[in-house]
């Protein structure tokens, strides 16, 4: 598989590194408005390949994306002091217009994997700009939030995170919904697993985990300025699902026809992912409180998306 990554800052470069380490691509092309940065990232990652895989990593312009089957979009602009969220979104929509116009000209058949924040709204903007089927425009969504949720539950229970099946739904952001009621350890509910393991999930423990999941990015950004390892690994896992056509269930964001009474909204639910993109969506069983929270998250995202003017390419 040939993969293009547009935007070689911390997230784009870390995703390229993780994908290359796992040998998930035959070739990775790095594209950035600063060609010198893209070349430096390509060289640095290439020097790790003798220890890991045979993936070829190179920098190039948009023309070098010809034949790419998947494009990771990690480009965008940062928020200026005093700038509103909607103004930032409008500027990022224009960045995406330019980037996607170039990408679609050379790789019109590629799946698009959106990593730029706010990822759900940018996923919706991308779908509107390109007119591609929603199944081929995939936001990283809550893949990282879900990993954080599973990690914290596993720590509390004394288990491997791979043995915990739990999802974060809705927005990748403050309105996200931790689906406690559908979480499982093996075939057991969290309550049953906690009791059998002698590590009950009390209300205090739940509140602590909930807060830790929601505030994780803020703490990391406060400590080192940005997050990149977790999302880089998450993007690599999504690439693996496409490259191997493994039909795994991933919490990714796509434009969804209807959820919790809200139509046409980009948000995360568990989705079946393979080489053609999103194959199917799965709606977890939710408590009435979780259902209401998901509706609130969906309405927030829908309102934000509708406030950003987008003219198709």
């Amino acid at each position: 598989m040939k993969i293009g990554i547009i935007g070689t800052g911390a997230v784009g470069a870390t995703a390229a590194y993780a994908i290359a380490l796992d040998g998930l691509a035959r070739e990775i092309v790095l594209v950035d408005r600063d060609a010198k940065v893209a070349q430096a990232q390509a060289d640095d990652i290439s020097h790790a390949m003798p220890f890991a895989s045979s993936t070829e990593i190179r920098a190039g312009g948009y023309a070098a994306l010809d034949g790419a089957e998947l494009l990771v979009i990690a480009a965008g602009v940062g928020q200026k002091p005093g700038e509103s969220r909607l103004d930032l979104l409008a500027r990022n929509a224009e960045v995406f217009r330019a980037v996607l116009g170039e990408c679609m000209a050379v790789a019109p058949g590629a799946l698009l994997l959106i990593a730029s924040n706010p990822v759900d709204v940018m996923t919706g903007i991308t779908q509107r700009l390109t007119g591609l089927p929603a199944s081929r425009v995939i936001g990283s969504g809550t893949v990282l939030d879900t990993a954080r949720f599973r990690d914290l539950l596993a720590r509390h229970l004394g288990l491997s995170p791979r043995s915990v099946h739990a999802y974060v739904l809705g927005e990748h952001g403050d309105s996200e919904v931790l689906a406690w009621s559908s979480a499982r350890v093996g075939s057991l509910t969290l309550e049953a697993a906690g009791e059998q393991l002698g590590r009950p999930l009390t209300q205090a423990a739940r509140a602590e985990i909930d807060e830790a999941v929601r505030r994780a990015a803020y703490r990391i950004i406060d400590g080192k300025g940005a997050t990149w390892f977790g999302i880089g690994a998450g993007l690599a896992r999504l690439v693996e699902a496409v490259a191997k056509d493994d039909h795994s269930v991933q919490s990714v964001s796509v434009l969804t026809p209807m959820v919790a009474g809200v139509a046409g909204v980009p948000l995360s639910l568990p989705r079946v992912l393979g080489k053609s993109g999103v194959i199917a969506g799965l709606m977890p069983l939710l408590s009435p409180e979780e259902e209401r929270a998901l509706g609130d998250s969906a309405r927030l995202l829908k309102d934000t998306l509708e406030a950003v003017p987008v003219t198709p390419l």
Side-chain angles (χ1 to χ4, degrees):
M1 171 178 276
K2 179 177 179 178
I3 295 173
I5 298 181
I6 297 89
T8 60
V11 170
T14 305
Y17 182 57
I19 293 164
L21 280 181
D22 286 343
L24 299 173
R26 178 188 76 257
E27 179 183 359
I28 300 174
V29 178
L30 304 183
V31 178
D32 197 279
R33 63 179 180 177
D34 188 332
K36 186 176 180 180
V37 169
Q39 187 62 60
Q41 298 283 31
D43 289 344
D44 198 14
I45 297 170
S46 291
H47 299 161
M49 291 305 97
F51 306 110
S53 77
S54 59
T55 298
E56 177 189 356
I57 303 97
R58 63 189 178 95
Y62 286 100
L65 298 175
D66 182 36
E69 299 164 75
L70 187 150
L71 301 177
V72 179
I73 313 295
V77 294
Q79 195 163 9
K80 296 178 179 178
E83 184 177 38
S84 72
R85 189 166 180 257
L86 285 179
D87 286 341
L88 173 63
L89 279 169
R91 287 202 299 127
N92 264 326
E94 287 308 306
V95 170
F96 266 47
R97 167 177 287 279
V99 166
L100 293 167
E102 297 277 8
C103 290
M104 292 296 95
V106 294
L111 292 179
L112 301 181
L113 178 53
I114 312 304
S116 304
N117 277 321
V119 68
D120 304 291
V121 178
M122 295 312 301
T123 299
I125 287 172
T126 298
Q127 197 278 329
R128 291 184 174 188
L129 283 169
T130 62
L132 291 172
S135 61
R136 290 178 53 198
V137 181
I138 305 162
S140 58
T142 59
V143 67
L144 178 54
D145 311 271
T146 290
R148 290 166 174 161
F149 189 24
R150 293 177 180 181
D151 177 61
L152 289 164
L153 285 171
R155 290 189 196 189
H156 178 86
L157 295 169
L159 300 172
S160 163
R162 294 189 176 189
S163 295
V164 177
H165 305 283
Y167 292 92
V168 176
L169 316 175
E171 180 194 16
H172 171 56
D174 293 341
S175 74
E176 65 190 21
V177 180
L178 279 64
W180 289 93
S181 61
S182 61
R184 295 291 183 272
V185 177
S187 61
L188 299 176
T189 64
L190 291 179
E191 291 79 5
E195 288 176 9
Q196 291 189 30
L197 293 167
R199 301 188 179 193
L201 274 155
T202 62
Q203 286 302 314
R206 286 173 176 249
E208 184 177 345
I209 290 170
D210 185 280
E211 176 71 8
V213 172
R214 294 180 188 279
R215 303 298 300 176
Y218 295 103
R219 290 194 305 275
I220 294 168
I221 290 168
D222 182 60
K224 69 174 195 174
T227 67
W228 55 81
F229 291 121
I231 188 56
L235 289 167
R237 179 63 187 95
L238 300 181
V239 169
E240 180 182 24
V242 173
K244 295 182 177 180
D245 194 26
D246 69 7
H247 289 215
S248 59
V249 178
Q250 306 292 337
S251 54
V252 293
S253 182
V254 298
L255 194 66
T256 307
M258 179 67 71
V259 61
V262 182
V265 58
L267 49 58
S268 286
L269 293 172
R271 320 273 185 179
V272 182
L273 194 58
K275 66 179 180 180
S276 61
V278 170
I279 298 163
L282 301 171
M283 175 58 75
L285 296 174
L286 302 176
S287 69
E289 181 182 355
E290 291 165 346
E291 182 77 23
R292 286 191 295 271
L294 183 59
D296 291 342
S297 186
R299 281 185 287 275
L300 183 153
L301 288 168
K302 178 67 179 289
D303 290 347
T304 304
L305 178 61
E306 293 296 333
V308 182
V310 175
T311 303
L313 293 171

